[in-house]
Amino acid sequence: MAVAEAQLYAKVSNKQRGRSTSALLEPLLAKGFPAHTAQKALVATGQKTIEDAVKWLHSHCNDPSLDDPIPQEYALYLCPTGRLHSRLQDFWEESKRQCGKNRAHEVFPHVTLCDFFPCEDQKVELLYDILKRLGDSFSQSFPPSLSLTLHASPSYLGFFIDDSQANILKDFAVAFSSEASALADCHVKPSLKQFHLTLAHRFYPHHQKTLEQLAKSINPGEPCQWVAALYSRDMRFVHYQRLRVLFQYKPQNIDELMINAGDLIYVDPRQQSGVSEGWVLGTSHRTGCRGFLPENYTQRAHEADTWVKHREYVFDTTSRSLTKAEKEPNVKLNGEAHNLSMSRSVSNVLSLQNAALRRGVLVMRHGERVDQVFGKSWLQQCLTADGKYYRADLNFPSSLPRQKDSMKQFECDPPLSCCGIFQSRLIGEALLEQEVTVSYVYSSPALRCVQTAQHLLQGLKLSQKVRIRVEPGLFEWTKWEASRAIPNFMTVAELVEASYDIDTSYRDIFPVSSLVPSESYEDYVSRSSVVIKQITTACPSKGVILIVGHGSSLASLTRALAGLPSRDSRDFAQTVRKIPSLGMCFCEEQREENKWQMVNPPVKTLTHGANAAFNWRNTILED
């Protein structure tokens, strides 16, 4: 047993266990479920219906931890509803779009009343009773509306609650803590520091001004009912990452995990070091089973996505208060009332910010390369006895461009596969649909990058209109070259002869001759920083600068452009291995502030599964 799990067991092993008389428990016992697993199922589903609990039990029939005595952890939050909640959600989405995720995005808008605490499954209903009784007791003294004041610092942005009102909330939290400790045998810690509602936390300091501008568009006086809500989480996975499954995957080996679209997966980052590239080892939230799954079938999920909502108490103050905001003309949008003057305010702030954006830099990894699919000896599979190229599989390119040197040069400078060509054109078409204006295109001298740029331009319908500037300084960290030598790239003349749209007037920032085999990480970072700064200086016009490089380019170029420090070389390597074919990052310029900031790319990522080689003779005729 792991040390962490042993500590969790120690928390509950010496507790005396009572038993509730839940109205939902008896029907489950009548169906033959053991009492401890039936109670676990009820808690895991928020004690809502018998059907939910039965479904959970059937899903967890192979869960190796089903009999574990470890309880859930609970927290008491004060959550806004109504128009204020809608405005906060709008801020959540817009701040994520403009500045990327920060720690606040992991959880919904809330004020913490009591931090997470463990409670035995059979005593959870006591918490429900305490919440209801104290809610009734405090309902008349609860403030008709909470006074929220915006506070900002380089790493935190949020609303602070007026002290006099916060004292009432603290009294409520202390009362809940005291009764839960006495009646449910829980050690509950009420939140006694200054009460606040976090808008953003642990963000990059250069995003502070943008986040403040967005926050100022929120009217904290919007109509709102506050709800005290009890949430639970699985305490075993508190420090795990969470992934959401995008596509179904059926196991092909005994150690793989069955996943369905929408499933949530717990992943311990400490257990991934020995896992094969492109795979993760995780535990399913839906089934409790553990196994390997393809990483590109998932995306990052929020921490609160795996939490369970139990009971809530609504502090109904509408009869005691009618705010000025409620008298504003409203319009129904998607079933919710929206304040028109507030919507105009948000739109004005966003339009003013967008007006300050002048240029964009889209950094993209190349498409699928042939050796990625067929291995390093791919060329040997495609050569006849007399050394001529032929297409041994439909995913090989139909032909190879001509080089003056030996065809074996392609082993160190491989082309795109046919799927890579299709991927590149598809991304170009998606950029065209989003009306992305590409003004300049730069490419690493690697053939796979030049080909990706070529087919992106075809998808964008910019062939012959925008030409590719081949920049050797965009080549990846040379330490990763397996041959320990700089590849013999195709020359500009050879690329032109092969019908690639190359800008022959372009002059290199870093000539090929300046690339050093097995360069240090510091030299690579320095090279990337110089290249991206000179590229943006040389391209003053509005529009997008498209850069096609390598997985390493996404981190080294964009972080340098946004003024972020370079990663540690080990963290850098771990980051790069997770970047798929045609993975991309996007930076927008805010000229008024003389800076670039990373935002969401203009198109979604491209995800696809593996397709193994198929030999009908060996498969169908095999005895």
Side-chain angles (χ1 to χ4, degrees):
M1 183 187 300
V3 174
E5 290 186 358
Q7 292 172 344
L8 291 175
Y9 276 96
K11 290 183 179 181
V12 298
S13 59
N14 297 322
K15 285 182 176 284
Q16 293 183 351
R17 300 189 175 275
R19 180 176 169 192
S20 72
T21 55
S22 168
L24 298 176
L25 180 60
E26 296 302 331
L28 293 175
L29 298 179
K31 291 178 181 289
F33 294 111
H36 66 287
T37 56
Q39 287 169 333
K40 178 173 282 194
L42 287 170
V43 165
T45 55
Q47 297 215 29
K48 293 181 176 65
T49 68
I50 297 171
E51 291 74 17
D52 288 343
V54 170
K55 183 179 178 180
W56 187 93
L57 286 164
H58 287 158
S59 297
H60 285 257
C61 60
N62 295 318
D63 183 350
S65 67
L66 192 60
D67 293 323
D68 284 356
I70 299 176
Q72 295 277 300
E73 280 188 322
Y74 297 81
L76 185 63
Y77 286 165
L78 185 68
C79 305
T81 63
R83 284 190 231 164
L84 179 59
H85 178 264
S86 297
R87 298 289 82 75
L88 292 169
Q89 288 295 95
D90 291 343
F91 171 86
W92 243 246
E93 294 305 315
E94 191 60 27
S95 64
K96 189 189 301 183
R97 188 189 74 82
Q98 292 199 33
C99 303
K101 278 184 63 174
N102 62 67
R103 189 68 180 84
H105 289 121
E106 292 293 331
V107 188
F108 41 81
H110 71 279
V111 176
T112 301
L113 297 177
C114 295
D115 293 325
F116 276 101
F117 59 93
C119 179
E120 296 173 71
D121 295 343
Q122 56 269 57
K123 296 181 179 179
V124 172
E125 282 197 276
L126 294 172
L127 300 181
Y128 301 167
D129 294 339
I130 294 167
L131 178 61
K132 174 66 167 62
R133 186 170 63 256
L134 290 177
D136 290 342
S137 175
F138 278 81
S139 61
Q140 291 303 309
S141 60
F142 192 89
S145 63
L146 292 181
S147 178
L148 304 176
T149 304
L150 188 63
H151 172 79
S153 74
S155 63
Y156 177 84
L157 181 72
F159 288 119
F160 281 7
I161 298 177
D162 177 78
D163 285 344
S164 61
Q165 297 176 336
N167 287 334
I168 298 174
L169 302 182
K170 288 178 183 179
D171 290 343
F172 176 77
V174 169
F176 180 89
S177 170
S178 177
E179 292 208 22
S181 299
L183 300 178
D185 194 22
C186 302
H187 180 64
V188 185
K189 182 181 178 181
S191 180
L192 297 178
K193 55 188 176 181
Q194 186 165 20
F195 273 27
H196 57 275
L197 190 154
T198 299
L199 297 175
H201 183 39
R202 295 184 188 173
F203 49 83
Y204 289 116
H206 67 273
H207 286 152
Q208 180 181 350
K209 187 172 181 180
T210 301
L211 291 168
E212 281 190 64
Q213 288 178 323
L214 288 174
K216 287 175 181 176
S217 70
I218 303 171
N219 176 11
E222 288 275 18
C224 170
Q225 279 190 323
W226 292 89
V227 174
L230 200 62
Y231 288 87
S232 74
R233 68 183 183 187
D234 194 322
M235 61 194 299
R236 296 172 300 167
F237 304 115
V238 169
H239 300 296
Y240 283 46
Q241 293 178 349
R242 292 153 186 82
L243 302 178
R244 185 179 298 279
V245 176
L246 300 173
F247 312 104
Q248 184 186 57
Y249 178 79
K250 295 182 178 179
Q252 300 179 28
N253 295 290
I254 194 170
D255 60 352
E256 294 175 3
L257 191 63
M258 173 68 186
I259 55 176
N260 294 326
D263 280 0
L264 291 160
I265 308 295
Y266 297 107
V267 173
D268 186 350
R270 299 167 297 181
Q271 298 178 354
Q272 306 306 310
S273 57
V275 178
S276 301
E277 184 175 355
W279 292 78
V280 292
L281 178 62
T283 301
S284 170
H285 174 72
R286 179 175 60 86
T287 67
C289 296
R290 189 166 180 261
F292 296 95
L293 64 149
E295 188 174 17
N296 67 343
Y297 277 46
T298 66
Q299 66 180 11
R300 287 292 297 272
H302 296 148
E303 178 184 336
D305 289 348
T306 55
W307 294 359
V308 177
K309 186 176 183 179
H310 288 257
R311 297 294 186 269
E312 63 180 27
Y313 186 91
V314 180
F315 291 99
D316 187 0
T317 60
T318 53
S319 60
R320 294 185 284 138
S321 171
L322 184 64
T323 67
K324 179 181 178 181
E326 284 180 299
K327 300 177 182 178
E328 292 274 3
N330 298 326
V331 61
K332 286 282 185 177
L333 291 178
N334 297 325
E336 292 219 7
H338 286 247
N339 185 283
L340 287 180
S341 62
M342 197 66 251
S343 297
R344 285 192 290 268
S345 174
V346 173
S347 299
N348 290 340
V349 169
L350 297 183
S351 64
L352 286 172
Q353 288 182 336
N354 289 334
L357 301 177
R358 296 294 184 266
R359 296 178 293 168
V361 173
L362 181 61
V363 183
M364 192 179 302
R365 188 189 179 193
H366 56 76
E368 181 184 87
R369 47 195 270 185
V370 289
D371 59 335
Q372 183 180 337
V373 183
F374 300 103
K376 294 179 181 178
S377 61
W378 68 272
L379 190 58
Q380 304 305 315
Q381 304 172 45
C382 299
L383 294 180
T384 61
D386 57 355
K388 293 183 179 179
Y389 175 83
Y390 78 99
R391 196 178 192 182
D393 184 285
L394 284 179
N395 201 20
F396 283 114
S398 57
S399 61
L400 295 177
R402 288 196 299 174
Q403 280 199 80
K404 63 180 180 180
D405 295 322
S406 167
M407 191 179 293
K408 288 193 174 181
Q409 297 294 339
F410 287 119
E411 288 182 341
C412 298
D413 186 22
L416 293 180
S417 66
C418 275
C419 284
I421 293 171
F422 168 75
Q423 292 171 338
S424 304
R425 192 172 293 125
L426 186 65
I427 293 292
E429 291 170 354
L431 291 170
L432 180 64
E433 286 181 5
Q434 293 300 315
E435 299 181 351
V436 175
T437 303
V438 173
S439 303
Y440 307 93
V441 177
Y442 286 80
S443 171
S444 159
L447 178 58
R448 56 192 180 274
C449 297
V450 175
Q451 289 179 321
T452 299
Q454 178 82 3
H455 293 288
L456 280 165
L457 287 172
Q458 289 179 4
L460 279 160
K461 297 185 178 179
L462 290 176
S463 298
Q464 305 296 320
K465 297 177 183 177
V466 178
R467 296 193 178 273
I468 304 166
R469 297 176 175 181
V470 179
E471 173 48 57
L474 293 171
F475 188 58
E476 64 185 341
W477 186 12
T478 61
K479 181 180 178 180
W480 287 342
E481 276 300 295
S483 63
R484 302 300 179 195
I486 305 301
N488 190 7
F489 303 118
M490 291 181 67
T491 66
V492 167
E494 288 172 332
L495 291 170
V496 171
E497 185 181 353
S499 299
Y500 293 108
D501 297 332
I502 306 298
D503 184 349
T504 57
S505 65
Y506 177 70
R507 295 296 173 259
D508 305 335
I509 299 170
F510 280 86
V512 173
S513 59
S514 69
L515 297 179
V516 179
S518 300
E519 69 187 325
S520 69
Y521 177 60
E522 291 73 20
D523 286 344
Y524 170 67
V525 169
S526 175
R527 166 162 64 91
S528 300
S529 178
V530 170
V531 167
I532 190 61
K533 288 175 182 176
Q534 293 210 28
I535 285 176
T536 52
T537 300
C539 304
S541 304
K542 294 181 182 180
V544 171
I545 305 167
L546 173 61
I547 298 176
V548 182
H550 307 266
S552 56
S553 305
L554 271 69
S556 62
L557 297 179
T558 57
R559 290 182 71 87
L561 186 60
L564 303 176
S566 59
R567 294 183 179 276
D568 176 86
S569 59
R570 287 171 295 182
D571 293 339
F572 178 77
Q574 289 297 317
T575 299
V576 170
R577 68 184 286 268
K578 297 178 182 179
I579 298 173
S581 299
L582 291 165
M584 64 186 84
C585 285
F586 191 56
C587 292
E588 283 182 334
E589 183 187 33
Q590 290 191 310
R591 184 168 294 179
E592 292 178 351
E593 300 176 20
N594 192 29
K595 70 177 185 180
W596 293 80
Q597 69 175 27
M598 295 184 67
V599 296
N600 287 334
V603 298
K604 300 293 185 181
T605 55
L606 174 66
T607 306
H608 58 84
N611 195 53
F614 173 65
N615 186 311
W616 67 270
R617 188 181 300 279
N618 293 344
T619 305
I620 306 302
L621 299 183
E622 187 179 44
D623 292 330

